[in-house]
Amino acid sequence: MRIDELKGYRTNPFYKIASQSSDIENFYHRLKNQGYRDQILGRGLFGLVFHRPNTPDVVYKAFLRSDRGYMKYLKFAMENQHNPHVPKIIGKPLSFDLENGTQVVLVKLERLEKLDSSDSSNYNQFLQLTAIIDSLSLVKNPFYDSDGKKKEEEFLQQRKQQYPTLYDIAQQIVKLSHKSRMEDVDLHSGNVMMRGNTLVVTDPYALTPSPTSSIRRANR
């Protein structure tokens, strides 16, 4: 995947902060110290999400470029903006280095809401999506018995008719998985969000670093 850098990206205030940061955790603390404390919406060891003041409808996600799983999903999302279950990408992602040379990508996204498990209609979308993915993975498993596969295929045909767009995104998540038994798929309620009443898959994979990457995993 080719990440295009925006013209004039060095004037982006987050570029300067990131380029002086030693890792994602340090980037997080620098954002807080430079006045963005209230704009940080979430973080993990390998990425964080924040927004700029006075821009409540969009967010930025910074993540390690070596995360092949998310890079694949980002590429898919950029190429399938018509699919209601992928996040809307705004502009082109930025790619630059942290102080220690670690490559980071910064992507601008629509702002979404958390999935509320007490909302039965919305939560049902999540349950249907995970059920479809589970069935697709069983059908894909060469060690699963033929009778079991037949039942799963019947279930999938029903769900394809009932939830065509959810079925489509589930198929793509399975297809993009680089392992035959789906070990890298990590879909839970924390990596889906809502756009109104529409479920949006934000990050369906566990961290899958490239073979040549040298991600610094600091002890916390």
Side-chain angles (χ1 to χ4, degrees):
M1 173 183 175
R2 181 175 181 269
I3 295 289
D4 293 314
E5 294 182 336
L6 291 174
K7 184 178 180 181
Y9 72 96
R10 291 179 184 275
T11 63
N12 186 305
F14 300 121
Y15 166 78
K16 184 176 181 180
I17 299 172
S19 63
Q20 295 174 349
S21 303
S22 56
D23 55 27
I24 290 290
E25 181 76 2
N26 186 243
F27 183 25
Y28 164 73
H29 287 294
R30 284 177 178 270
L31 282 172
K32 286 203 307 181
N33 294 337
Q34 296 192 38
Y36 294 100
R37 178 188 299 271
D38 295 336
Q39 283 74 45
I40 298 171
L41 304 175
R43 64 165 175 146
L45 185 57
F46 305 110
L48 67 148
V49 177
F50 53 94
H51 70 92
R52 296 178 68 174
N54 303 317
T55 57
D57 296 329
V58 298
V59 300
Y60 291 86
K61 177 172 181 174
F63 66 95
L64 297 182
R65 184 168 183 156
S66 55
D67 185 349
R68 292 187 300 169
Y70 189 74
M71 287 292 287
K72 284 183 179 181
Y73 187 66
L74 176 60
K75 181 178 186 292
F76 166 76
M78 292 173 68
E79 294 174 349
N80 291 271
Q81 289 288 279
H82 61 280
N83 188 307
H85 301 294
V86 303
K88 301 303 180 186
I89 313 298
I90 302 167
K92 297 178 181 179
L94 301 177
S95 180
F96 47 79
D97 295 342
L98 297 181
E99 191 177 49
N100 67 350
T102 299
Q103 290 187 316
V104 168
V105 175
L106 184 69
V107 59
K108 190 176 181 181
L109 306 159
E110 65 174 323
R111 186 163 185 172
L112 300 165
E113 300 299 324
K114 290 183 178 180
L115 173 65
D116 182 359
S117 60
S118 67
D119 187 324
S120 58
S121 177
N122 289 344
Y123 198 71
N124 180 61
Q125 293 182 66
F126 169 68
L127 295 178
Q128 294 298 333
L129 177 64
T130 55
I132 293 168
I133 288 175
D134 288 344
S135 290
L136 287 169
S137 65
L138 288 173
V139 170
K140 186 179 179 182
N141 189 336
F143 301 104
Y144 197 55
D145 66 272
S146 58
D147 288 340
K149 284 188 178 182
K150 184 177 180 180
K151 291 180 180 178
E152 297 300 336
E153 287 169 350
E154 291 174 355
F155 169 83
L156 289 171
Q157 284 302 315
Q158 293 173 356
R159 292 302 181 270
K160 185 176 182 179
Q161 293 178 356
Q162 291 177 302
Y163 307 97
T165 55
L166 278 177
Y167 182 87
D168 180 57
I169 188 67
Q171 255 195 333
Q172 291 300 327
I173 290 170
V174 173
K175 182 179 179 181
L176 290 172
S177 174
H178 76 284
K179 296 182 180 180
S180 61
R181 296 187 190 177
M182 301 283 292
E183 291 96 334
D184 59 335
V185 173
D186 181 34
L187 191 65
H188 53 77
S189 59
N191 49 28
V192 297
M193 300 189 79
M194 299 301 301
R195 181 194 305 116
N197 293 321
T198 300
L199 186 80
V200 178
V201 179
T202 55
D203 185 0
Y205 301 105
L207 180 79
T208 52
S210 61
T212 58
S213 70
S214 55
I215 298 173
R216 196 178 84 170
R217 297 172 182 260
N219 293 321
R220 304 296 177 200

